[in-house]
Amino acid sequence: MTEDLPDTGEYRPRSQAMVMLTGLYLFLLLMTVMSYGQPVPLFGFLLEDTPARIFIVVDSLVCLHLFLGLLKRQRLTWYLLLIYNGYEILNTLLNLWLVPHKELERLLERQIDPGGMLVSNLVTVGILLWISWVIRRQREQFTNHSPYLF
């Protein structure tokens, strides 16, 4: 049955890493949608109320595009994944450096351990760097050269 298929990369089975990446970005999409209405740190500023809601909607749409692009193995998504992860790394580091500790405590209405926050943010950056490395190594899996998802 597979003898009739042309010998192109489009029919290559998905690697285990691609399946894991697709699941990861689905999880990221769900987490982003669930954060609707919460304050959002963005490049050292805290967005609240309407600006935060607009940002979450836009971020959710970007995550949806990344998830669907991974499902469709879209080549453009490969670039967008690396750009999005770079944005997340830069945003995390700038927020760690620029957002005042007291402002976060005021918004969350609880005390925050600065050491724990530093470690968790640096671990997040490390994980994002590792995910970006995995994405970079999976480039040959992105065989769909169409610029459209549908």
Side-chain angles (χ1 to χ4, degrees):
M1 178 149 219
T2 58
E3 300 87 31
D4 299 333
L5 295 175
D7 189 23
T8 65
E10 280 187 52
Y11 299 105
R12 249 186 294 166
R14 289 185 199 281
S15 70
Q16 191 174 19
M18 283 293 287
V19 173
M20 299 290 277
L21 285 170
T22 305
L24 174 68
Y25 281 89
L26 175 61
F27 177 73
L28 183 62
L29 169 64
L30 295 173
M31 294 302 292
T32 303
V33 169
M34 289 183 347
S35 68
Y36 184 78
Q38 301 295 320
V40 177
L42 179 66
F43 295 121
F45 298 100
L46 289 170
L47 303 177
E48 298 180 70
D49 302 323
T50 303
R53 288 186 178 110
I54 291 170
F55 177 80
I56 291 298
V57 168
V58 170
D59 196 31
S60 296
L61 291 173
V62 169
C63 290
L64 177 63
H65 185 278
L66 293 175
F67 168 68
L68 292 174
L70 275 163
L71 277 178
K72 302 238 182 205
R73 298 188 200 193
Q74 187 183 33
R75 177 60 59 101
L76 176 62
T77 300
W78 184 81
Y79 296 104
L80 294 176
L81 284 166
L82 293 174
I83 291 167
Y84 185 78
N85 285 352
Y87 148 76
E88 286 290 340
I89 290 168
L90 182 63
N91 188 37
T92 301
L93 292 174
L94 284 175
N95 288 331
L96 186 61
W97 186 43
L98 296 174
V99 173
H101 190 71
K102 296 296 181 191
E103 185 69 15
L104 279 176
E105 288 180 346
R106 180 191 65 80
L107 281 174
L108 297 175
E109 298 175 348
R110 65 182 174 92
Q111 208 169 16
I112 299 172
D113 175 31
M117 190 172 78
L118 175 67
V119 168
S120 69
N121 280 292
L122 292 179
V123 166
T124 300
V125 167
I127 290 170
L128 285 168
L129 287 170
W130 178 72
I131 290 169
S132 297
W133 177 77
V134 170
I135 291 167
R136 189 156 158 40
R137 293 188 44 109
Q138 294 299 312
R139 183 173 186 186
E140 70 279 351
Q141 291 284 317
F142 292 87
T143 56
N144 181 354
H145 294 281
S146 171
Y148 306 108
L149 282 178
F150 302 105

